[in-house]
Amino acid sequence: MNKKLLGVLSFVLILSLVAGCTSKTSSNQASGDTIKVGLNYELSGVVATYGQNLSDGVLLAIEQINKDGGVLGKQIDPIKVDNKSEDTETANVSTRLATRDKVVVLLGPATSGNTKAASPAAMQNKIPLISASATADDVTVDSNGKVREYIFKTCFSDSFQGVMMAEFALKDLGFKNAAILADNTSDYAKGLSKAFKETFTSQGGTILAEEAYQAKDTDFKAVLTNLKGLNPEVLFVPGYYEETGLIVRQARELGLNVPILGGDGYESPKLTEIAGKDVLNQVYYSSHYSPMDDAEEVVKFKENFKVKYGKDADAFNALGYDLGYFLKDALERAGEANSEKLKDAIAETKDFKGVTGTISIDENHNPVKSVTIIEMKDGVPTFLKKLDPK
């Protein structure tokens, strides 16, 4: 009996080891008539506008793709989950989608911090993760300079935004003296500030001061008064719309009427709600898309979006929409809804044409694409120009 029991136990142990090895090396793949796609977005919480708008864009693209016959003969099945704009919940959502729901790919989250929180589960389970808006430079590359094999993004990086806005301040606006007011709790703001400062000073500009605030602050008058006393020609304020809207309002109330520059964190209708139309002039920010673009694919997208949601599309809607079709393109080139093959296809993407621009993925899993400069005129985002990467 003991020998027989020992034999059975040994056999079970061998099977469990084989199963364990298999689970670590196998890829999630589609089964049946659907391809499961995980949507990990900020649908509630402090940056819900970004997550909701990206999700709306992705879902419109998936709806159109499925209506046109799907991809690889299958329908895309989006599994949408709210990460509540929290790092911990984001990580939990990523794990659930990868292990319980067996999705082939993870789309999102919206912010850089949440994307980094979602990445370990993607890496451990060997499932590609693609963010359309996580602009931090270290999203796809770790601190040692090693590319994260399964992590990709379809938006430009913070360093690129910072560089472009510094050059815009120097060359287009003609200013040499700037001050920086940035959220010191945000990797996003830190990345833009660093790139702006390095570019601005290396090309002959002077940074008069660097001041900081924290997310959820509401009173900026003291620091803005200090900055006003330095007489900057331009103020660089990288951050998200909730704080930057208040900063613009309070700066104008104090008589600090210099141009204010920022990044794509300004991209929300709530910026105008918070700041007020009357003060949103001489405000410029880098973005991924302009609704004033008259390219055929942009016009068609805007029409379809308005029919679906009854409102005009913004940049995050457009980024999400492009992400849906970017995924379709990669799946078709992969030839199979298999996570490993899909990862390789994403890395090999060249000249994918979307409504936010043409995308090629570089060796660091970042896109090579242009940046759009938006000028606020009486609270209305207005296309100013496009700047191409050098």
Side-chain angles (χ1 to χ4, degrees), residues 54 57-58 60-61 64 301 304 317-325 355:
L54 283 157
V58 171
L60 174 60
Q64 292 177 348
F301 158 69
N304 290 333
N317 299 139
L319 286 167
Y321 184 80
D322 273 356
L323 180 55
Y325 275 98
V355 298

Side-chain angles (χ1 to χ4, degrees), residues 237-268:
V237 188
Y240 297 123
Y241 60 86
E242 288 192 323
E243 289 80 25
T244 56
L246 293 172
I247 289 170
V248 173
R249 160 61 65 182
Q250 292 172 26
R252 299 316 189 215
E253 289 173 347
L254 291 168
L256 184 54
N257 295 316
V258 300
I260 295 177
L261 277 57
D264 63 334
Y266 287 31
E267 187 67 61
S268 171

Side-chain angles (χ1 to χ4, degrees), residues 247-372:
I247 289 170
V248 173
R249 160 61 65 182
Q250 292 172 26
R252 299 316 189 215
E253 289 173 347
L254 291 168
L256 184 54
N257 295 316
V258 300
I260 295 177
L261 277 57
D264 63 334
Y266 287 31
E267 187 67 61
S268 171
K270 289 188 175 294
L271 178 69
T272 301
E273 293 178 22
I274 294 168
K277 294 181 179 180
D278 57 318
V279 302
L280 281 173
N281 289 292
Q282 291 196 89
V283 174
Y284 306 87
Y285 62 89
S286 50
S287 187
H288 311 262
Y289 157 89
S290 170
M292 297 182 180
D293 192 332
D294 59 1
E296 182 181 351
E297 61 272 14
V298 176
V299 172
K300 186 176 180 181
F301 158 69
K302 290 189 296 183
E303 292 172 350
N304 290 333
F305 187 89
K306 192 154 191 176
V307 169
K308 173 71 175 177
Y309 295 108
K311 61 180 182 178
D312 293 328
D314 69 8
F316 285 92
N317 299 139
L319 286 167
Y321 184 80
D322 273 356
L323 180 55
Y325 275 98
F326 179 89
L327 173 61
K328 175 180 182 286
D329 174 75
L331 281 168
E332 288 174 339
R333 287 183 290 104
E336 182 181 347
N338 171 283
S339 293
E340 194 70 26
K341 292 182 179 180
L342 177 59
K343 178 259 296 181
D344 293 338
I346 295 169
E348 294 166 0
T349 300
K350 298 293 181 188
D351 298 325
F352 166 79
K353 189 174 183 180
V355 298
T356 64
T358 300
I359 297 172
S360 295
I361 298 298
D362 68 15
E363 65 276 8
N364 291 323
H365 290 184
N366 297 319
V368 178
K369 63 188 297 190
S370 61
V371 61
T372 296

Side-chain angles (χ1 to χ4, degrees), residues 169-244:
L170 287 162
K171 298 175 182 178
D172 291 79
L173 299 181
F175 296 135
K176 292 289 186 180
N177 297 303
I180 298 174
L181 175 58
D183 179 355
N184 64 5
T185 65
S186 164
D187 289 341
Y188 169 77
K190 291 176 185 177
L192 268 83
S193 295
K194 181 175 183 290
F196 181 92
K197 179 182 178 181
E198 290 176 352
T199 303
F200 197 78
T201 55
S202 69
Q203 296 187 23
T206 300
I207 301 297
L208 301 175
E210 291 183 76
E211 297 285 356
Y213 67 89
Q214 294 187 352
K216 300 184 180 180
D217 282 351
T218 57
D219 188 349
F220 307 92
K221 291 180 180 177
V223 68
L224 287 169
T225 298
N226 292 338
L227 292 174
K228 181 184 177 184
L230 299 174
N231 295 314
E233 295 175 297
V234 64
L235 186 60
F236 185 58
V237 188
Y240 297 123
Y241 60 86
E242 288 192 323
E243 289 80 25
T244 56

